[in-house]
Amino acid sequence: VYKRQVQDYAYQIHKSEYINGYNESGENCERICFLDHKKTTYYKEKMLNVDTVKMSYTNVMTEVGKLPIVPNISKTEFKVKILSNNSCELIANSEYRTKPAFIGAIFKSKFKSTMTDYLISVASYAQTGVPVNKENFKKIKKDYLTSQTK
């Protein structure tokens, strides 16, 4: 999924593009993700510690625009855990620091909610190949949550 444009599976992102000469994912690749159409709210991330055997990698935020996040400290580790021959789980562990620091307590619940939505979007896109957007995400989330209660 990482090789796709992130806006295909993360409705929260207006546009993303690889930068600094990269055109696909891999160790040290970089991309910028814009959260608004004006391209003023954004983050740049770098993919590190790619491990194809453990099926994991880390995205480190290297620069931010109009976000209270401290770059180069804030990161998310992604790992795929095989559950069976037909099923797996995507695990995300995020660490972030905000500036000013007290914003972290306020930001935590919003960040957790956004990450949950992101993971639901990734799962839906991986399973169906249908791009996720603002128009269809509400139904996708409802269907996902309903399937988890069965």
Side-chain angles (χ1 to χ4, degrees):
V1 171
Y2 193 87
K3 290 188 177 194
R4 303 280 185 216
Q5 291 295 3
V6 71
Q7 66 266 17
D8 285 346
Y9 55 85
Y11 77 91
Q12 306 91 336
I13 296 173
H14 175 71
K15 181 171 177 46
S16 74
E17 51 196 47
Y18 291 105
I19 55 174
N20 297 330
Y22 292 94
N23 57 12
E24 64 178 22
S25 65
E27 188 70 30
N28 293 313
C29 83
E30 297 175 272
R31 72 177 175 193
I32 186 167
C33 297
F34 298 104
L35 304 179
D36 63 349
H37 71 282
K38 293 180 184 177
K39 297 184 177 182
T40 56
T41 306
Y42 68 90
Y43 59 89
K44 290 182 181 178
E45 60 186 6
K46 187 171 191 172
M47 189 178 201
L48 300 172
N49 306 318
V50 176
D51 188 326
T52 56
V53 174
K54 293 182 180 178
M55 294 186 291
S56 64
Y57 65 90
T58 301
N59 276 346
V60 176
M61 289 185 170
T62 58
E63 184 181 320
V64 298
K66 290 190 172 181
L67 293 170
I69 296 172
V70 178
N72 297 311
I73 295 173
S74 302
K75 61 185 176 183
T76 301
E77 179 183 2
F78 294 94
K79 182 176 174 108
V80 176
K81 179 181 175 184
I82 302 297
L83 301 175
S84 71
N85 286 339
N86 300 324
S87 137
C88 63
E89 178 179 48
L90 177 60
I91 300 166
N93 182 29
S94 297
E95 299 175 23
Y96 62 91
R97 185 168 301 161
T98 58
K99 186 176 181 179
F102 75 87
I103 296 276
I106 299 166
F107 190 63
K108 185 177 180 178
S109 64
K110 175 66 175 160
F111 186 77
K112 195 173 185 177
S113 172
T114 300
M115 182 58 75
T116 299
D117 288 355
Y118 173 79
L119 294 173
I120 291 169
S121 297
V122 170
S124 175
Y125 185 74
Q127 291 169 355
T128 68
V130 175
V132 178
N133 54 50
K134 287 181 183 180
E135 291 74 34
N136 67 6
F137 181 71
K138 193 172 187 177
K139 180 176 181 344
I140 288 168
K141 185 174 183 177
K142 180 182 175 187
D143 292 348
Y144 174 80
L145 294 174
T146 301
S147 74
Q148 297 304 299
T149 59
K150 293 180 181 177

